[in-house]
Amino acid sequence: MLDTSFRPQPNFATRRASADGPDLQSLFTQAGFLTRKVLEGAKIADLPVERPTRFKLVTNLKTARIIGVTMPTSILLLADEVIE
């Protein structure tokens, strides 16, 4: 599979040449802020629905080579992580 959107996990790139999705650390930080507001007395119904604000792009060059795909330099420069 060349590209997919999903939650990046530590072992995801072993099977994909490239993947992108929301950054989990950022999602946990957002959840922490919302939890703090609830613990301070905010009503859950009054809290806004928040979308992810940071996304992560990971490229696996080893998988790309195996399936015969050459990753463009522009993708490699944009990637948050490149697995060789």
Side-chain angles (χ1 to χ4, degrees):
M1 180 172 275
L2 292 181
D3 184 54
T4 185
S5 292
F6 71 105
R7 295 185 328 249
Q9 296 175 358
N11 65 348
F12 81 93
T14 58
R15 291 171 255 132
R16 293 175 174 86
S18 179
D20 63 325
D23 180 34
L24 290 180
Q25 182 65 38
S26 177
L27 290 177
F28 291 139
T29 301
Q30 284 179 304
F33 286 126
L34 290 173
T35 301
R36 185 185 76 203
K37 290 178 183 180
V38 169
L39 293 174
E40 291 175 346
K43 293 181 181 178
I44 295 175
D46 295 337
L47 296 176
V49 174
E50 296 186 12
R51 294 182 182 189
T53 56
R54 173 137 168 72
F55 293 84
K56 190 172 185 179
L57 172 64
V58 180
T59 301
N60 187 333
L61 294 178
K62 181 180 177 183
T63 302
R65 274 188 233 109
I66 289 171
I67 61 175
V69 174
T70 303
M71 287 292 175
T73 305
S74 59
I75 296 293
L76 298 176
L77 292 173
L78 290 173
D80 295 297
E81 182 181 350
V82 177
I83 299 171
E84 305 241 4

